[in-house]
Amino acid sequence: MSLRLRFTLAFTAVGALVAVLVGVLSFRAASDRVVEGANRTVRMVALAVAEDRDTAHARPDAVTRRSDGNPGTGDDGEQPAIVQSVAPDGTVTHLGGPDMELPVSDTGRALAASGAPGQEEATMIDVGGATYCQLTIALGEGQGALQAAIPLAPTLGVLGGMAMEITEAALAVMCAAAGAGWLLARRITRPLVRLAGAAEEISADGHVDREVPVDGRDEVARLSASFNTMIRRLAASRAVRERLVQDAAHEVRTPLTSLTTNAGVLRYATELAPDDRDRLLDDVEDETRELGHLVDELVELALSRSRDDAEQPVELTEVAGRAARRLHRRTGRIVLLDSDDCLVRGRRQALERAVSNLLENAAKFDGDGEDPIEVHIRRGTLTVSDRGPGIAVEDAERVFDRFYRADTAHGVPGSGLGLAIVREVAEMHDGTVFARSRSGGGAAVGFTVGPSRLLPSPEPDLAGSQDEQLPERRAGRHPD
């Protein structure tokens, strides 16, 4: 069942429910008013007879008509009342109206025998196949009781006609509700139909270049806007993926070509001089190592945004310290750490990977240097400084692109993906990256974390742990 049909049925059901409820309440109100009017009429008849027993034969016909000449309880002419007296011993005497005897109930006999003056009983009775409204009034003082009844056929006819009119009106309201529901459902679901059509086309042909028009500011419009945002991100993700595949294919082709060439030469290894053979094997090992490193970086870059590394409070000083100790174990380089104990909300493994890439990049370009690599952390900004060849102005904006290698990087091992991963991590944490030349020589490269991710720094433990940590941070050295 479509959503439009569900809306239509819902509007129809609500309209029908309201119409039936209003009709039932209206019918009950009208029925009560009509029956109340019939009770008043029959009471007038009984009271008139009680006032003057001698004119009882004339009164029943008179009281069934109102002063304006219209029938009192119906609309089909004269409807004379039936009047009779009930003696204390239960004897019935006909006083007026059609020659019909009204049934006397046990309550009516009790009222005639011992009822107080004015005590009455109103009931509905069937006489000769017709329904009557009957009233029994006790006269008291041994005079028995009077009974008066008027036919309800005209009243029931009016109520029947009213019920038919109410039913017709309810059906008309239900049809109108169905029509209005269909129009409203069509208007409400039109954006959803467009949205569903766009989603079906995208899932069918895989193209993500179509957007859905956004009308208004309601929930459907918000859903359409979110869908368009998702489509744009999918398109951007596809473009990035295609560019990554193309760049990776280009970069992988060089070591593969070299390995293929060297493998062909190895067929004649026995004919090569020992020095040439050793040089060839060294080339094969270097190319294999570079290819493995490139594959690792590609995998890291592809998975950098899809890891299940949950966000948590992360102390950048701790992250930088771990990365510095790991670099020291690998290269023996000393790292000076200057931090303000910045605490951020982020992904610990991703941030540590970014800092490690920055440190390894600095150590690689300053491979022959003896000066320590410096790490400065201030309010979510992490900067790694070295004493290498520095970064040219024209390269500062491109060093974070995938596989980009500046002129000063030629001949330096690497895949060209390390800084691209740093940018991915920075964007993941609502931050940016930067690269500039350092005064006095070298480069300063780093990233920032978005201001909304900065957290209040924890209070230092003055009793113990601070004394253990401060010397290491003052020295800035992270030995193995």
Side-chain angles (χ1 to χ4, degrees), residues 41-64 79-87 91-104 125 127 132-137 139 145-151:
T41 300
V42 74
R43 185 175 291 106
M44 290 173 58
V45 172
L47 292 177
V49 173
E51 290 175 0
D52 190 354
R53 301 284 294 273
D54 296 335
T55 59
H57 291 280
R59 295 233 179 237
D61 293 339
V63 298
T64 57
Q79 295 292 336
I82 302 174
V83 182
Q84 66 183 20
S85 63
V86 182
T91 303
V92 176
T93 302
H94 182 75
L95 299 179
D99 189 12
M100 302 174 64
E101 182 176 338
L102 300 176
V104 181
I125 60 174
V127 179
Y132 283 76
C133 177
Q134 176 181 277
L135 183 69
T136 302
I137 300 179
L139 299 176
L146 287 177
Q147 286 186 324
I150 58 173

Side-chain angles (χ1 to χ4, degrees), residues 143-450:
Q143 301 182 49
L146 287 177
Q147 286 186 324
I150 58 173
L152 291 180
T155 301
L156 296 178
V158 171
L159 292 178
M162 181 180 296
M164 183 62 66
E165 293 176 356
I166 290 176
T167 301
E168 294 174 353
L171 292 176
V173 170
M174 185 170 63
C175 293
W182 173 259
L183 294 177
L184 289 175
R186 184 179 180 182
R187 180 179 181 83
I188 292 173
T189 58
R190 185 182 296 117
L192 293 176
V193 171
R194 291 200 301 263
L195 186 61
E200 290 173 353
E201 288 187 7
I202 292 173
S203 62
D205 54 27
H207 294 297
V208 290
D209 54 354
R210 174 181 177 180
E211 292 191 0
V212 181
V214 180
D215 299 327
R217 298 182 179 178
D218 55 7
E219 289 77 4
V220 177
R222 290 167 52 193
L223 178 61
S224 300
S226 299
F227 181 82
N228 291 336
T229 302
M230 180 185 67
I231 291 301
R232 286 192 292 269
R233 289 184 177 179
L234 285 175
S237 177
R238 169 176 287 185
V240 170
R241 184 183 63 188
E242 292 177 351
R243 187 170 67 252
L244 174 61
V245 171
Q246 293 172 359
D247 294 343
H250 174 73
E251 292 297 323
V252 171
R253 187 177 296 113
T254 300
L256 285 179
T257 302
S258 177
L259 286 174
T260 303
T261 302
N262 291 332
V265 175
L266 283 176
R267 291 179 179 273
Y268 307 98
T270 56
E271 301 177 8
L272 297 175
D275 292 341
D276 294 336
R277 186 168 57 250
D278 292 340
R279 220 173 14 252
L280 181 62
L281 292 176
D282 290 339
D283 289 342
V284 171
E285 289 179 355
D286 291 340
E287 293 293 343
T288 303
R289 190 181 304 108
E290 287 296 324
L291 183 59
H293 184 66
L294 176 61
V295 172
D296 292 340
E297 294 287 358
L298 286 172
V299 172
E300 179 68 27
L301 185 62
L303 299 180
S304 60
R305 287 185 176 270
S306 60
R307 295 182 179 224
D308 294 332
D309 187 10
E311 292 189 352
Q312 58 182 312
V314 179
E315 189 176 356
L316 289 182
T317 304
E318 178 187 356
V319 169
R322 290 170 58 90
R325 286 189 290 271
R326 186 163 50 250
L327 180 70
H328 182 76
R329 287 195 301 267
R330 293 177 180 175
T331 65
R333 295 297 296 271
I334 295 176
V335 178
L336 294 180
L337 177 58
D338 178 23
S339 174
D340 60 355
D341 297 334
C342 180
L343 189 68
V344 301
R345 176 175 54 84
R347 301 183 179 183
R348 182 182 302 275
Q349 295 181 4
L351 290 171
E352 187 171 336
R353 177 63 175 174
V355 178
S356 296
N357 285 0
L358 290 174
L359 291 175
E360 291 174 2
N361 190 72
K364 178 173 61 177
F365 283 94
D366 190 16
D368 298 332
E370 297 180 356
D371 294 329
I373 298 173
E374 299 177 5
V375 178
H376 300 272
I377 301 175
R378 291 290 184 273
R379 296 292 299 167
T381 300
L382 187 145
T383 306
V384 175
S385 303
D386 61 63
R387 293 293 180 179
I391 298 178
V393 176
E394 59 273 13
D395 295 328
E397 296 295 330
R398 301 190 58 190
V399 292
F400 295 97
D401 294 343
R402 294 166 183 168
F403 304 111
Y404 179 77
R405 298 176 69 84
D407 293 338
T408 56
H410 291 301
V412 179
S415 63
L417 291 174
L419 294 184
I421 294 176
V422 174
R423 182 172 63 182
E424 292 283 337
V425 174
E427 293 176 352
M428 186 189 307
H429 292 81
D430 307 322
T432 58
V433 292
F434 57 88
R436 57 181 178 267
S437 293
R438 178 184 180 183
S439 59
V445 186
F447 66 91
T448 65
V449 175

